[in-house]
Amino acid sequence: MPDAIKRTPLYNVHTALGAKIVPFAGFEMPVQYPTGITAEHKAVREKAGLFDVSHMGEFLVRGPQAVEFVNHVTTNDVASLKPGQAQYSTILREDGTIVDDCLVYRAEDRVLMVVNGSNVDKDFAHVSRFVKDFDVTLDDISDKVALLALQGPQAQRILQQHTDTDLKQIKYYEFTMGTVAGVEKVYISRTGYTGEDGFELYFPGEHAEQLWNALTASGEVTPAGLGARDSLRLEMGMALYGNDLDDTTTPLEASLGWLVKMKKGDFVGRSALEKQKAEGLKRKLVGFTTAERSFPRHGYPVFAKGKPSGEVRSGTLSPTLGIPIGTAYVPPDSAAEGSEIEIEIRGKRIPATVQKLPFYKNGSRL
């Protein structure tokens, strides 16, 4: 029997706002509000939008070897983080393929791993296999934690009205614990998935409505759903697990080699990546655009030099740029910027051009 679909603590808020609810990552989630995806997208690019991303998973690692453990099960270098810093990373199998991408937060006495909502059970089972080799405890606290993402060039100014924490002191990919809108022990993290400035707030789920209502009360913040989240991240060339990344891809193929720190010592999947590096890649994830006003949807066939090259991994008509954008895996000899490929749309092959990511280059976080 499939698991029962879950709801975030803000489900009733979303329905009261008239959100269109869809199943996503095992949750009933808002894909858009009556304002529409384009308006929500624009609000984040120009002012501020608020996302409920409480479907994400959180694993808490504690113990004398917390840093060593997370360093072993992820590819980036956790030991290079000071307490109060975060990093983007990947979790690999022994064969180098990606179990998930994740965020890692290093605090004084613990490390928090944040994973994709659809992968929580799979990820927890995978990393649990390595606990026995380290002096740590590993807990899945996903169901207790709510997560809000306030994103946009006005995010700092708006959030500052609700907290005594000096947000200017929090640099990109740093975090601290503070009180927000009367809610204590909130992880205030300067991170996001949009290319704009912003903050992700982790806190106990029972306070979700209190925080949401406080942040939206002035009318300056636009509630934003999964649709805008997807178009915003794709304009920035940010990967989505299940589309751009999956259990057949390695970080080297996915243009995430910068997340792989070979010099840090051993980690799960390291030897497989060394072998792949030595043998050479057979494919690489690239961004592309087309001159035609066609919509490159996920799953459309891709051709490089006339030969099949998989399918479109992510695709949309960019709300900001007004052009079709997408990602696909192509052979290395078709991966250079300016290379010509083809996308098959409704039986017709459309010329497309490989473009350097990000597509949108004016985000307030760049």
Side-chain angles (χ1 to χ4, degrees), residues 73-144:
V73 299
T74 62
T75 57
N76 212 330
D77 187 2
V78 187
S80 70
L81 295 175
K82 296 175 183 153
Q85 291 183 323
Q87 66 185 193
Y88 181 45
S89 195
T90 50
I91 303 167
L92 306 185
R93 294 178 189 80
E94 285 83 349
D95 67 359
T97 58
I98 302 173
V99 179
D100 207 356
D101 57 338
C102 64
L103 285 177
V104 173
Y105 291 87
R106 182 178 182 178
E108 288 285 354
D109 61 344
R110 62 192 60 193
V111 178
L112 183 71
M113 298 175 67
V114 181
V115 302
N116 284 295
S118 55
N119 292 339
V120 170
D121 293 343
K122 175 187 77 168
D123 291 357
F124 194 74
H126 173 76
V127 298
S128 293
R129 292 168 45 214
F130 304 98
V131 168
K132 65 183 186 303
D133 301 322
F134 297 87
D135 187 2
V136 294
T137 59
L138 171 68
D139 294 298
D140 178 3
I141 59 170
S142 308
D143 290 341
K144 299 172 186 170

Side-chain angles (χ1 to χ4, degrees), residues 157-172:
R157 179 185 63 77
I158 292 166
L159 184 59
Q160 193 65 77
Q161 299 166 17
H162 302 280
T163 181
D164 291 335
T165 299
D166 185 358
L167 300 177
K168 289 197 295 293
Q169 299 301 313
I170 306 174
K171 297 186 177 70
Y172 194 41

